[in-house]
Amino acid sequence: MRTWNRPPLIAVVLAVVAALAGCTQRESPELMSPGSTQFSEAVAPYTLAFISRAYDSETNQTTFQYQLQNATAPGSPATGVLAVLTNVMVELPACAPAPASFLPPDGASVLDDNGIHGVEWGVGYDDNPGLYYSVVFPGDVPAGTVRGMVTRGGLHFVQSLAGPCEGTFSISGVVFVDTDGDGVQNANELGVDNVTVALRDGETTRTVKTASDGDYVFTTGAGNYTVAVDSVTADNTDFNEVLYDGWNPTSPTYVSVTVGPNSTGNSFAFEPDVAHVVAQIGDNGAYPTNGKTYQWWRSQINHALHHGGHDDDDLLLGEHPHHDWYTADELVGFIHQIQALALPSQYHFTPGHELQQAYQILNNHACSDEDDDDDDTFGDGDQTVARNHLDGDEDGHGHHDPPTCDAYKVLQRELLTTEFNHVTGRGLYTNLPLQYNLIEWGEGVLQGNQPSGGGDDFRAGGGPQRALTNPVEGGGVIFKKVNGATGGGGVGG
């Protein structure tokens, strides 16, 4: 029979407890149902202290040793009534190899308790006056941060301590373009690729880059950290500096997190600074553009629909005889690339009718003073639009009424033009990642501000008028600039 290292009175009490449970011996600890979980080490009566990590090259094994101590008297074994009502546990993270052995071996079990997978001992088994507990691993296992737990009377006291490799907690989130400025990611708000995110723990900093969907994840041990998106980084290939140069954060740029368990949803939101981006675009700006205008792309589609994109037909249309035309197949290929750029619900064209539908979007006279001189060979009313002053005559004082614009149609047309430029390597040709993120933002703005009635309406001038928000208007301004509406279209081919 196993003997207990306890005073006689305690032994009597334990015998009564065992009898009431229907047994007189225990070969392994019976876990009590947790009454509650406490994460404050300040109120824990006992703590599991890390003693040492030792690697034995002869046996090729690594031993992590711990001791149960009084929280108020570190450095010596715990005192007081412990018995089988107290358990200690050390986490076994997924990054660690399977343990080779445990010390003491009796009373040890590998199990899941209170959300922690680890090795747990029932205190009081065998002769262990020093209350030492060890886990032995094969190989040279580095030290990291894991969780330890002391259970007493149904209360669980969770703490951080040194253990094998690193615990498998994760800190995750996303960096995304914010179309409505509320700092919360919606379904139409997409992630930003290649942004460096920093994880700080005191003097230590780790970094990861966001994936194509803007997601990032750190795997680390339990503890308190700061996660941040910095405006300046040591990596000159990431997107951070460009992001901060032309975008405004709509959420905090750093957050404090505690892991153990995992910490999710640590996200960072940005929206374009319209005035700044526009100021940076142009032949003489920081972001030069060689984008073609919507009229240029409309002519390309018009030519392909009626003449197959052959240069022999140039003179018939009054075009420059050396103009390079895309074929219908090439333009349809561009449209298929556009459909895959960002949101699948934007610019969704009917197979077999892609060119006609793209033409109708580009042929949308969204402002009353637009004067397009393209030949109306497609025949849907291009030349029937009254020139310069659709919204009225002179006001009686020799002045024409100011133009009016449907900003949603402007954005729809100009963004599609930018996407044609993007898939052909035009536009912000020195900074295509910036252009792509602007496209993601623009498509999100379109979806989030769709005219009432919804659906795809490819009719020129179709769709009801609606109240417009600043992102819609700002998007039209940005993409017009990208498309060379103010002179940028003269750069490149």
Side-chain angles (χ1 to χ4, degrees), residues 19-63:
L20 291 175
C23 62
T24 58
Q25 294 193 70
R26 292 179 56 192
E27 297 300 322
S28 61
E30 296 280 335
L31 295 180
M32 300 181 64
S33 299
S36 63
T37 302
Q38 298 185 18
F39 292 94
S40 173
E41 296 177 28
V43 299
Y46 304 111
T47 184
L48 189 62
F50 171 71
I51 301 300
S52 64
R53 169 197 173 274
Y55 171 65
D56 187 340
S57 60
E58 292 185 2
T59 62
N60 190 31
Q61 290 183 325
T62 303
T63 300

Side-chain angles (χ1 to χ4, degrees), residues 194-384:
N194 198 37
V195 176
T196 295
V197 182
L199 178 69
R200 295 188 173 92
D201 177 14
E203 300 298 322
T204 302
T205 299
R206 296 167 51 194
T207 61
V208 295
K209 288 184 179 181
T210 57
S212 59
D213 57 2
D215 287 348
Y216 73 90
V217 61
F218 292 97
T219 300
T220 189
N224 300 315
Y225 301 88
T226 299
V227 186
V229 173
D230 297 327
S231 60
V232 178
T233 69
D235 187 344
N236 58 10
T237 66
D238 63 21
F239 193 65
N240 292 54
E241 285 77 7
V242 175
L243 179 65
Y244 273 90
D245 182 57
W247 301 65
N248 292 325
T250 59
S251 68
T253 57
Y254 66 92
V255 293
S256 298
V257 299
T258 299
V259 289
N262 298 335
S263 178
T264 61
N266 301 293
S267 299
F268 303 92
F270 293 83
E271 65 178 358
D273 181 339
V274 173
H276 184 76
V277 171
V278 168
Q280 296 291 83
I281 299 174
D283 294 348
N284 299 319
Y287 304 142
T289 179
N290 62 358
K292 300 296 187 181
T293 65
Y294 78 90
Q295 295 99 325
W296 191 92
W297 282 107
R298 186 179 61 194
S299 294
Q300 288 282 335
I301 295 175
N302 186 37
H303 187 269
L305 282 167
H306 292 86
H307 305 281
H310 299 296
D311 290 340
D312 293 342
D313 299 314
D314 291 346
L315 294 178
L316 296 176
L317 294 175
E319 299 288 352
H320 192 284
H322 299 294
H323 189 84
D324 291 326
W325 295 107
Y326 286 115
T327 67
D329 287 343
E330 288 173 327
L331 290 167
V332 170
F334 297 154
I335 290 173
H336 290 167
Q337 292 180 60
I338 287 170
Q339 289 183 122
L341 274 180
L343 296 171
S345 59
Q346 294 303 320
Y347 303 125
H348 180 72
F349 300 92
T350 305
H353 300 277
E354 295 95 339
L355 293 180
Q356 293 90 338
Q357 292 173 347
Y359 182 91
Q360 288 169 345
I361 292 176
L362 297 179
N363 197 43
N364 231 331
H365 297 279
C367 294
S368 62
D369 68 338
E370 289 173 342
D371 185 4
D372 299 324
D373 57 3
D374 294 342
D375 290 336
D376 188 27
T377 53
F378 188 57
D380 71 342
D382 189 355
Q383 296 297 308
T384 66

Side-chain angles (χ1 to χ4, degrees), residues 247 272 274 277-278 281 289 291-294 347 407 410-422 427-428 434-446 471-486:
W247 301 65
V274 173
V277 171
V278 168
I281 299 174
T289 179
K292 300 296 187 181
T293 65
Y294 78 90
Y347 303 125
V410 171
L411 175 57
Q412 185 183 46
R413 182 188 68 195
E414 296 298 331
L415 177 56
L416 179 59
T417 304
T418 296
E419 297 197 20
F420 269 112
N421 286 323
H422 187 77
L428 305 182
L434 170 62
Q435 182 165 273
Y436 179 73
N437 285 312
L438 288 171
I439 287 171
E440 287 191 328
W441 172 75
E443 289 206 5
V445 171
L446 277 179
V472 177
E473 297 162 354
V477 173
I478 286 178
F479 295 115
K480 272 188 175 181
K481 191 78 171 179
V482 171
N483 301 333
T486 56

Side-chain angles (χ1 to χ4, degrees), residues 1-2 4 14 17-18 21 23-32 83-87 106-107 122-123 125:
M1 175 179 286
R2 184 167 292 129
W4 301 91
L14 293 175
V17 172
C23 62
T24 58
Q25 294 193 70
R26 292 179 56 192
E27 297 300 322
S28 61
E30 296 280 335
L31 295 180
M32 300 181 64
V84 293
L85 300 181
T86 301
N87 300 323
D106 289 328
V123 175
Y125 282 86

